[in-house]
Amino acid sequence: MTALPTRTLGDLKTSAIGYGAMVLSPGVYGQIDDDRALTALRSALDEGATHIDTSDGYGEDGHNERIVGQAVQGRRDEVTIATKFGFRRPEGVEGHAFPVNYTYGELAVNAEPRHIRRYAETSLRTLGTDRIDLYYPHFPDPTVPIEDTVGAVAELISDGLVRHLGLSNVTAEQLRRAHAVHPVAAVQAQWSMWTPVDAELLAAARELGVAIVAWSPLGSGFLTGTVQDIADDDFRRFIPRYHDGNLQANNDRYAPLRAIATELGLTPGQLALAWLLHQDEHVVPIPGSRTPAHIAENLAAARAELTPETLTRIDEALTAFAPEGTSTLLG
């Protein structure tokens, strides 16, 4: 394993850039087989990614967790496994509608305390491990007080099934309420060059000493500068910024940032990740890729240094970059 710079999520020390495994399930960026998925994950581990993010809801019947579990066999102690719950509901467990900005309109979750131990035990079996390092409700259940959900996870921590509590896609108020029940190690939030993190959430996280795990740090691939069209079986067809003329307009407007990357000897994706790392010392981006070369490229951004002058130039370019269409999952 190649050593990368490290950061901390509560008491967890992880690589400064982790790996988002969602891309390894069919139906995300098109079809993929398990052999290719395992090759990608093992490449991420070999390149130094020690934080692997998955969810019980990625793929059918725990597919993504199963792939992660297979990939970390024999090297479990090298890796922080973070997973999320609330999407993969057993038969008879109703879903509670959670509105989103993507064109399918809503998701269905269930984070009732009475189900959470069952979720965790299922994930542990699927992952083939005896503990989950960081456990998140994937979304706050609109029908359940966040304190009740957190209380159920706290019991799992007390019993040794989970090591640390995380939150995902929450507001600053929800973070504060949850943290009052049990310390939160990290909050997962959408954050990238074209999707700013919620300022109130960031302020609350800093005040409470909670790290930020940045999902979609490459704008679902857009910030790599390589996306020209979207296939019919790619989930990005639901994201308005990728619709028809919006994608071309956004590529044109991103040109100044691509030019800065070229000048610095970085790829556009590396610039986006390095910029994010420079926003806060406790942010850990989790880009995902299916290609070993791209994975190595992403993780190398953990070593990129940006001067204050360069950061100013990037911020000026971003100020002038007004994307077409929404990219935020939540309103």
Side-chain angles (χ1 to χ4, degrees):
M1 177 179 284
T2 302
L4 288 178
T6 60
R7 295 201 164 180
T8 56
L9 306 173
D11 294 332
L12 290 169
K13 180 183 285 187
T14 75
S15 52
I17 297 177
Y19 181 79
M22 185 183 77
V23 299
L24 302 181
S25 289
V28 180
Y29 294 156
Q31 295 304 304
I32 184 172
D33 60 50
D34 286 0
D35 287 342
R36 186 181 175 197
L38 285 167
T39 296
L41 261 172
R42 289 167 178 155
S43 296
L45 296 173
D46 291 342
E47 292 293 336
T50 62
H51 179 84
I52 307 298
D53 179 90
T54 182
S55 170
D56 66 2
Y58 296 158
E60 294 185 4
D61 298 323
H63 173 269
N64 206 267
E65 289 183 329
R66 176 173 56 79
I67 292 295
V68 169
Q70 291 178 21
V72 304
Q73 285 182 5
R75 55 200 309 182
R76 175 66 181 90
D77 291 341
E78 303 173 16
V79 181
T80 293
I81 294 180
T83 192
K84 300 179 284 292
F85 65 86
F87 270 141
R88 185 185 179 191
R89 304 183 311 280
E91 185 175 351
V93 176
E94 67 176 339
H96 305 144
F98 189 97
V100 296
N101 283 339
Y102 291 177
T103 54
Y104 45 69
E106 65 181 34
L107 302 170
V109 299
N110 188 308
E112 295 177 49
R114 61 193 174 115
H115 299 305
I116 291 175
R117 183 174 295 269
R118 183 179 179 185
Y119 294 156
E121 290 174 346
T122 299
S123 287
L124 287 166
R125 287 193 299 270
T126 307
L127 289 162
T129 187
D130 62 351
R131 79 275 186 194
I132 296 167
D133 297 306
L134 186 60
Y135 202 36
Y136 305 85
H138 207 139
F139 288 90
D141 188 323
T143 72
V144 179
I146 194 74
E147 294 89 345
D148 293 352
T149 298
V150 166
V153 178
E155 292 181 5
L156 299 177
I157 294 172
S158 178
D159 292 344
L161 301 182
V162 170
R163 293 181 61 204
H164 297 275
L165 168 68
L167 296 175
S168 181
N169 301 307
V170 294
T171 64
E173 179 196 8
Q174 289 167 331
L175 171 58
R176 292 181 188 280
R177 288 164 48 198
H179 195 76
V181 174
H182 189 280
V184 178
V187 59
Q188 193 168 128
Q190 191 175 9
W191 192 2
S192 72
M193 278 184 166
W194 78 342
T195 306
V197 69
D198 178 78
E200 291 184 3
L201 178 65
L202 180 58
R206 286 172 170 168
E207 176 189 330
L208 298 172
V210 176
I212 300 283
V213 174
W215 67 265
S216 197
L218 294 175
S220 299
F222 172 82
L223 297 172
T224 64
T226 61
V227 181
Q228 300 300 319
D229 54 56
I230 301 298
D232 289 342
D233 58 354
D234 188 318
F235 92 101
R236 289 175 292 184
R237 70 190 185 280
F238 295 113
I239 304 177
R241 284 190 185 174
Y242 285 91
H243 291 177
D244 302 325
N246 287 352
L247 178 58
Q248 183 58 56
N250 290 330
N251 272 322
D252 291 345
R253 294 176 188 182
Y254 188 55
L257 288 155
R258 292 196 299 270
I260 292 174
T262 299
E263 179 184 325
L264 296 174
L266 301 172
T267 66
Q270 287 176 325
L271 181 68
L273 293 169
W275 172 85
L276 188 49
L277 287 171
H278 282 72
Q279 302 307 298
D280 191 279
E281 63 180 338
H282 297 296
V283 62
V284 174
I286 49 168
S289 175
R290 297 173 167 185
T291 307
H294 290 161
I295 292 167
E297 174 187 306
N298 288 341
L299 294 174
R303 301 188 181 91
E305 293 291 336
L306 303 180
T307 67
E309 293 76 17
T310 296
L311 289 168
T312 297
R313 289 179 59 202
I314 293 170
D315 289 342
E316 289 172 349
L318 288 173
T319 299
F321 177 53
E324 292 287 343
T326 182
S327 176
T328 59
L329 180 61
L330 308 178

